Amino acid sequence: FAGELVEPGEELIVARGGRGGRGNLAFKSPRNTAPKMAEKGEEGVEHWLTVELRLVADVGLVGVPNAGKSTLLAASSNARPKIANYPFTTVVPNLGVCDLLDDDKQGVGSLGRGLVMADIPGLLEGAHEGVGMGLAFLRHVARCRVLLHVINGDSK
């Protein structure tokens, strides 16, 4: 684990570059105004990295498979997630932006900032032990500000 960038403008150095060489400008003289000579720089550090972009959402919709998370996302935003009558229709998170109304001084609502909602694939008991999507599920919910647990209203 090399580090994490959370705030805008943050920097992280994971590999130092080598010292640069001297280009042909360093060898320019009044007699040789266009030298065809340059020095190579030093080698830099080389690494293979795995970079992970974590989902950042205001609200994460979690719940058991077929609880209606995708339906709620489709009804409250312009997102069009796949909706079907079988478990694990959602295999990757879907994002939707809900427009919130700001009341101005005259009481008339105007479009304000957007609320980002994420439809997270189905939650199963034992996800921390690898059941269902396992740790992949937990990684998706790590960056949601609020988790909204959607419960299926059907009783059996």
Side-chain angles (χ1 to χ4, degrees):
F1 180 74
E4 184 175 27
L5 301 175
V6 179
E7 298 296 323
E10 281 187 319
E11 295 180 2
L12 175 68
I13 298 174
V14 293
R16 295 240 179 241
R19 196 179 61 146
R22 294 188 298 167
N24 65 350
L25 183 63
F27 300 103
K28 184 178 174 184
S29 68
R31 282 184 141 186
N32 189 3
T33 57
K36 293 185 173 47
M37 179 176 170
E39 289 180 351
K40 290 190 175 203
E42 296 174 358
E43 290 284 323
V45 179
E46 195 173 299
H47 292 293
W48 282 96
L49 299 174
T50 301
V51 180
E52 179 178 308
L53 175 64
R54 292 200 177 168
L55 179 68
V56 178
D58 295 315
V59 177
L61 302 175
V62 296
V64 296
N66 280 21
K69 302 177 296 290
S70 296
T71 305
L72 178 59
L73 180 69
S76 58
S77 71
N78 282 336
R80 294 294 166 245
K82 182 178 179 183
I83 299 173
N85 193 17
Y86 56 88
F88 298 107
T89 307
T90 305
V91 292
V92 294
N94 293 305
L95 293 177
V97 178
C98 303
D99 290 326
L100 301 178
L101 293 178
D102 285 339
D103 288 335
D104 58 12
K105 294 176 183 168
Q106 289 132 6
V108 178
S110 61
L111 289 180
R113 80 174 196 92
L115 175 82
V116 178
M117 291 179 69
D119 172 18
I120 309 293
L123 169 65
L124 292 177
E125 187 175 343
H128 66 288
E129 297 170 345
V131 176
M133 291 192 65
L135 295 177
F137 169 83
L138 297 175
R139 267 199 299 273
H140 293 309
V141 290
R143 291 283 179 211
C144 295
R145 292 184 189 185
V146 174
L147 295 178
L148 179 65
H149 198 128
V150 180
I151 300 172
N152 189 350
D154 291 343
S155 61
K156 294 184 182 185

